[in-house]
Amino acid sequence: MIQTHKQLTDRLNKAMMDEYIAVSPTQNPLAQQLPKLDNLSLREVVCQYTIFPRSIVSLLSTARDTARECGWNEVDVELTRNIGEELGTETEGLTHYQMLVRGLEFVVMPYIARKLSRLEPNKHTGQFIWQMDRVVSGKPHYALGGTYALECSAVPELVLVKHAIETFHKRATGRDLAPRGSLMEFFDLHIGTWEPDHEEGLRETTAKYVTTEADQKLFEQGFRDVMETMDTWWTGLLDESQAPTCSV
């Protein structure tokens, strides 16, 4: 049965929180195990996580190229704007990934942060990035749904990661993170401004191109495949972080 695009995206947003663990504040493996994780394991999770924002421009560019090939001009423009922001159009040329790394370098883990740009993915992170690229390289409506999942999951995911970093810093230094430091700016701008704007922009621009029941099925499948991939990644990240040999 055909739905409006708002009905579809509202239902998928609800499913994201109710049916998957990746960005659930209570079911995410990091949120569940945070009180029991030692700082070495927590550092490993945080460092591996940074490979995802390091890869986001590539993933969005692949999705944008698909939209462009289909003549989906509004989606093309929206993703181009999104990519531009990731690359620094609103931050004086400082990329969002650089904001994150600088924040970690000066506030949380100085020695490790200097190595983040060269950090290799572990098995689970490598598989995760490969699977995400597979989704955004897929059939157009499927890729569109996967890209939308990337955007609407960003805020709850960043809330979880922010809390983990705050916990790490508190344990390591005995102090709270500075409320106006570059790391807090990274999280606060993403959570409060950038990511909600990206989700809204992609939801509105995709409505024009997801119009049939077949389109909606592919869109939903792409969305759900991304969420399943995220579930697997977060579970694997926590398992591998407690292995004898860490990547950092």
Side-chain angles (χ1 to χ4, degrees), residues 43 46-47 50 54 97-120 247-248:
R43 185 185 71 183
V46 170
C47 289
T50 66
R54 190 174 81 190
Y97 172 69
Q98 288 171 331
M99 288 178 68
L100 175 60
V101 170
R102 286 189 182 185
L104 291 172
E105 178 176 346
F106 289 111
V107 177
V108 181
M109 45 188 91
Y111 173 70
I112 295 301
R114 297 187 192 106
K115 299 166 58 178
L116 285 178
S117 63
R118 302 187 301 275
L119 180 66
E120 291 294 324
S247 65
V248 291

Side-chain angles (χ1 to χ4, degrees), residues 144-162:
L144 210 56
T147 307
Y148 180 69
L150 278 176
E151 295 301 345
C152 71
S153 63
V155 167
E157 179 185 76
L158 287 167
V159 169
L160 291 167
V161 174
K162 177 185 177 184

Side-chain angles (χ1 to χ4, degrees), residues 3 8-9 20-21 52 56 71-72 81 87 99 111 130 133 141 187 192-193 214 226 231 245:
Q3 310 165 74
L8 173 64
T9 52
Y20 300 94
I21 65 173
F52 184 22
I56 195 67
W72 294 346
R81 181 180 71 88
L87 294 176
M99 288 178 68
Y111 173 70
W130 181 84
D133 185 69
H141 291 95
F187 283 111
T193 302
V226 162
D231 280 3
T245 302

Side-chain angles (χ1 to χ4, degrees), residues 40-219:
L40 181 63
S41 296
L42 181 51
R43 185 185 71 183
E44 171 72 6
V45 173
V46 170
C47 289
Q48 282 293 314
Y49 169 78
T50 66
I51 294 174
F52 184 22
R54 190 174 81 190
S55 306
I56 195 67
V57 168
S58 175
L59 295 171
L60 292 174
S61 296
T62 299
R64 191 264 311 273
D65 291 346
T66 297
R68 187 169 288 176
E69 289 169 5
C70 292
W72 294 346
N73 295 329
E74 287 87 346
V75 177
D76 179 357
V77 169
E78 173 58 27
L79 289 176
T80 298
R81 181 180 71 88
N82 187 336
I83 292 164
E85 288 184 7
E86 290 287 342
L87 294 176
T89 56
E90 296 190 356
T91 46
E92 299 181 347
L94 186 67
T95 72
H96 292 184
Y97 172 69
Q98 288 171 331
M99 288 178 68
L100 175 60
V101 170
R102 286 189 182 185
L104 291 172
E105 178 176 346
F106 289 111
V107 177
V108 181
M109 45 188 91
Y111 173 70
I112 295 301
R114 297 187 192 106
K115 299 166 58 178
L116 285 178
S117 63
R118 302 187 301 275
L119 180 66
E120 291 294 324
N122 64 22
K123 178 182 70 174
H124 295 285
T125 302
Q127 181 70 10
F128 168 69
I129 297 298
W130 181 84
Q131 289 282 10
M132 297 298 284
D133 185 69
R134 183 189 66 81
V135 173
V136 298
S137 302
K139 292 181 179 180
H141 291 95
Y142 174 83
L144 210 56
T147 307
Y148 180 69
L150 278 176
E151 295 301 345
C152 71
S153 63
V155 167
E157 179 185 76
L158 287 167
V159 169
L160 291 167
V161 174
K162 177 185 177 184
H163 180 56
I165 291 174
E166 288 173 327
T167 300
F168 181 99
H169 183 262
K170 182 74 170 182
R171 289 178 187 172
T173 68
R175 301 188 306 273
D176 293 329
L177 280 173
R180 296 187 180 180
S182 59
L183 192 57
M184 292 299 279
E185 181 182 16
F186 170 87
F187 283 111
D188 291 346
L189 283 171
H190 277 85
I191 292 168
T193 302
W194 291 329
E195 295 303 345
D197 187 43
H198 293 164
E199 185 276 333
E200 181 182 9
L202 194 58
R203 176 168 39 84
E204 290 180 352
T205 56
T206 54
K208 180 178 178 179
Y209 307 105
V210 183
T211 57
T212 69
E213 188 172 355
D215 295 344
Q216 291 184 343
K217 285 181 178 179
L218 283 170
F219 187 94

Side-chain angles (χ1 to χ4, degrees), residues 216-232:
Q216 291 184 343
K217 285 181 178 179
L218 283 170
F219 187 94
E220 179 167 352
Q221 189 60 57
F223 184 100
R224 289 184 177 276
D225 281 359
V226 162
M227 295 313 305
E228 288 176 7
T229 299
M230 287 183 170
D231 280 3
T232 300

